[in-house]
Amino acid sequence: MTGISELGEFGLIGRLAARLPAAPAVLLGPGDDAALVAAPDGRVAATTDLLVEGRHFRRDWSGPYDIGRKAAAQNLADVVAMGARPTALLVGLALPPATGTAWVERLYDGLADECAETGAGVAGGDVVAASEVTLAVTALGDLGGAQPLTRSGARPGDVLAYRGRLGFSSAGLDLFRAGADGPAELLDAHRRPRPPYAAGAEARALGATALLDVSDGLLQDAGHIAAASGVRIEIDTARVPVPAVLGPDGLRHVLTGGEDHGFAGTFPPDAPLPPSWTVVGTVAAGTVTQGTGVVVDGRPAGPGGWDHFSS
Amino acid sequence: MTGISELGEFGLIGRLAARLPAAPAVLLGPGDDAALVAAPDGRVAATTDLLVEGRHFRRDWSGPYDIGRKAAAQNLADVVAMGARPTALLVGLALPPATGTAWVERLYDGLADECAETGAGVAGGDVVAASEVTLAVTALGDLGGAQPLTRSGARPGDVLAYRGRLGFSSAGLDLFRAGADGPAELLDAHRRPRPPYAAGAEARALGATALLDVSDGLLQDAGHIAAASGVRIEIDTARVPVPAVLGPDGLRHVLTGGEDHGFAGTFPPDAPLPPSWTVVGTVAAGTVTQGTGVVVDGRPAGPGGWDHFSS
């Protein structure tokens, strides 16, 4: 097995670049001081996230291909949540020098395959030595002349709805921690989210007033919309489906579990929402300052979702 | 002293965002799923670099302000080396939870002040917990309708010239390693590069055929131009100024020291280069495959500059 220390930095970068498929928006790919990415709108949506070994993934739970897909997905979902079309990723990779080349190549395959789901490409990156694996992924996107779908447009009278899975990744994480070997559906959901990328354009067409991807948990992310919009969001748990596979803690996973990267948004009350969207709450005037900033079944909800530094 | 673990992720992000000055190209800053950055050219130059504690900086040698400036500078220089104008940075920050808030704030001050030298702004980022400090900086830039200055345009007959310091950071690093307390000029140069950002627009106006920032050392980076352009670059050390402050190893530092982030480029032989540019070589037909891919004083030069994985 070839280790990356034998290839050297430039050898590794060349080898990885050769694996990347072409993408229409990547006008100039890896190999120069900077990449060049199409931004026909004249504005570019840009977001960056770090994934650190042992905190955001574990190499004994997830293979490199899934880690690559997850790292790409969480950034691509952020771009889609702005109502933009992903165009390119930049990938910074910190690796222990003993890492095998094949492991890194599979990681890149995962990044490239997840990009392909949205039409984006990997435009460039950086590889450095470190004591733990860290991925720093930046995603770029194009708005196509439309206004961004921010978190601040929710208005009293709107409904809160989501599209995509909730709680699956969180339930899978609990299983990994307990040493369980199934259900595979949940373990796989933790290894690799499957954001319904079409939800961005769909939400725009449906007249969404605010949109985000659920990365911190439905309560906490709805709280982000409430805070940015200066409104009160009321969630009715009777309207929240809890798939049986999530087990006895299903409702907690659905309300507070992050990392599935579905999409939640607010819509005018008469928006013709198709069955792909589930309405779980309403927007009212006023604000809630306690806890997550949302009201659940009539009471302000305590802290939930994820906060990387607090317990 | 407040530690970041007491503020929590969202508290820290909010506190950092509040310190960032506005920048004209940052249309939507931190706080949503993605930032929105002006890209009037319709294309965006994009580059990303990782800086890892203990490998790219040491907290006992450099304070947070200088680390911030360095992290910004090396990415801004990459954008300038494409002939683009920097517009925005995205900053991913991995921090041990015990890190003091004041330390992180000074790091952000350094990022913001370095950005201000180029007119760019900090548009967004991510903060996560980790066991070592890692900065993942992405820089974006706008070409203003011009073609990018890549590494592949050097032609036989061109001259090789550079603008900016060479060898200062490398000499400073040797001093830190030896435990020396001066000269301060060299220690400071290692803590914080000072790229002559105006060199990008100047090189374009002078008809540069290729341009890059010197991050791996003059020989190695000239080799990158030679390889990308399919030419032979010949450096004449008699034409390479070696400032006395660099000490007895001065020529080695100038030829192989990276991280000062000056700019090197190739120009037509009749380009009216002002004194800010120093001609140190010529471009000829043919290629050199050994070592760094350049010829120094008539002989192919062995490996030099930096390679993060090889010794």
Side-chain angles (χ1 to χ4, degrees):
Chain A
M1 192 174 77
T2 311
I4 57 172
S5 56
E6 291 144 55
L7 279 175
E9 182 190 1
F10 299 118
L12 179 62
I13 289 174
R15 194 151 160 170
L16 295 174
R19 295 178 85 81
L20 297 173
V26 179
L27 308 174
L28 184 66
D32 220 296
D33 294 289
L36 207 53
V37 177
D41 177 86
R43 300 167 297 177
V44 61
T47 180
T48 197
D49 271 322
L50 290 174
L51 285 87
V52 179
E53 178 175 9
R55 296 177 189 265
H56 302 98
F57 62 88
R58 280 177 51 164
R59 285 197 270 175
D60 53 338
W61 291 352
S62 298
Y65 181 80
D66 282 337
I67 294 169
R69 289 202 76 134
K70 180 174 182 169
Q74 73 179 50
N75 284 280
L76 295 167
D78 277 329
V79 168
V80 166
M82 294 300 284
R85 182 180 53 82
T87 50
L89 290 191
L90 300 169
V91 182
L93 200 48
L95 296 170
T99 308
T101 303
W103 193 91
V104 187
E105 288 177 339
R106 285 298 288 160
L107 179 85
Y108 258 69
D109 288 346
L111 289 162
D113 284 354
E114 191 69 23
C115 275
E117 305 244 342
T118 70
V122 178
D126 187 26
V127 182
V128 302
S131 58
E132 59 194 359
V133 177
T134 301
L135 280 81
V137 179
T138 298
L140 305 178
D142 191 77
L143 281 163
Q147 285 311 300
L149 285 174
T150 67
R151 302 173 172 195
S152 60
R155 297 288 169 263
D158 286 351
V159 297
L160 175 73
Y162 75 86
R163 176 174 170 182
R165 298 189 300 197
L166 290 175
F168 281 63
S169 177
S170 169
L173 177 59
D174 274 8
L175 292 173
F176 273 118
R177 285 177 172 155
D181 61 1
E185 183 180 11
L186 300 180
L187 299 176
D188 288 346
H190 183 69
R191 291 189 180 106
R192 174 183 155 193
R194 294 174 188 265
Y197 295 114
E202 188 184 32
R204 182 188 296 289
L206 292 166
T209 53
L211 189 71
L212 48 61
D213 73 305
V214 181
S215 51
D216 297 311
L218 179 64
L219 297 192
Q220 194 144 334
D221 283 314
H224 293 153
I225 293 178
S229 300
V231 296
R232 171 186 175 100
I233 291 184
E234 302 181 345
I235 291 173
D236 177 3
T237 60
R239 304 178 76 172
V240 179
V242 180
V245 68
L246 297 180
D249 264 348
L251 183 61
R252 176 176 66 80
H253 290 304
V254 168
L255 293 180
T256 68
E259 299 216 320
D260 286 301
H261 300 286
F263 297 88
T266 52
F267 299 85
D270 56 354
L273 295 177
S276 49
W277 291 84
T278 304
V279 174
V280 293
T282 52
V283 180
T287 55
V288 179
T289 53
Q290 306 105 302
T292 56
V294 296
V295 171
V296 177
D297 296 341
R299 290 178 305 181
W306 280 22
D307 188 315
H308 299 284
F309 292 116
S310 303
S311 56
Chain B
M1 191 174 77
T2 311
I4 57 173
S5 56
E6 289 143 58
L7 280 175
E9 181 190 0
F10 299 118
L12 179 62
I13 288 174
R15 194 151 160 171
L16 295 175
R19 294 178 87 80
L20 297 174
V26 178
L27 308 174
L28 185 66
D32 220 295
D33 295 287
L36 208 52
V37 177
D41 177 86
R43 300 167 296 177
V44 61
T47 180
T48 197
D49 271 322
L50 290 173
L51 284 87
V52 179
E53 178 176 8
R55 296 176 190 266
H56 302 99
F57 63 87
R58 280 176 52 165
R59 285 198 270 174
D60 52 339
W61 291 351
S62 299
Y65 181 79
D66 282 335
I67 295 169
R69 289 202 76 132
K70 181 175 181 169
Q74 71 179 50
N75 284 280
L76 295 167
D78 277 329
V79 168
V80 166
M82 294 300 284
R85 182 180 54 82
T87 50
L89 290 192
L90 300 168
V91 182
L93 201 47
L95 297 170
T99 308
T101 303
W103 193 92
V104 187
E105 288 177 339
R106 285 296 290 158
L107 180 84
Y108 258 67
D109 289 346
L111 289 163
D113 284 354
E114 190 70 23
C115 275
E117 304 244 344
T118 69
V122 178
D126 186 26
V127 182
V128 301
S131 57
E132 59 193 359
V133 177
T134 300
L135 281 82
V137 179
T138 299
L140 305 179
D142 190 75
L143 280 163
Q147 284 312 299
L149 284 174
T150 66
R151 303 173 171 195
S152 59
R155 295 290 170 260
D158 285 352
V159 297
L160 174 73
Y162 74 87
R163 177 175 170 181
R165 297 189 301 198
L166 290 176
F168 282 64
S169 177
S170 169
L173 177 59
D174 274 7
L175 292 173
F176 273 119
R177 284 178 172 155
D181 61 0
E185 183 180 11
L186 300 180
L187 299 176
D188 287 348
H190 183 70
R191 290 190 181 103
R192 173 184 156 194
R194 294 174 188 266
Y197 294 114
E202 188 184 31
R204 181 187 296 291
L206 292 166
T209 52
L211 189 71
L212 46 63
D213 73 305
V214 181
S215 52
D216 296 310
L218 180 63
L219 298 192
Q220 196 146 334
D221 283 316
H224 293 153
I225 293 178
S229 300
V231 297
R232 171 186 175 100
I233 291 184
E234 302 181 346
I235 292 173
D236 177 5
T237 59
R239 306 179 75 171
V240 179
V242 180
V245 70
L246 297 180
D249 264 349
L251 182 61
R252 175 177 66 81
H253 290 306
V254 168
L255 292 179
T256 68
E259 299 216 320
D260 287 301
H261 300 287
F263 297 88
T266 52
F267 298 85
D270 57 352
L273 296 178
S276 50
W277 292 84
T278 303
V279 174
V280 292
T282 53
V283 180
T287 54
V288 179
T289 53
Q290 306 105 302
T292 56
V294 295
V295 171
V296 177
D297 296 341
R299 288 178 307 181
W306 281 22
D307 187 316
H308 300 285
F309 291 115
S310 302
S311 56

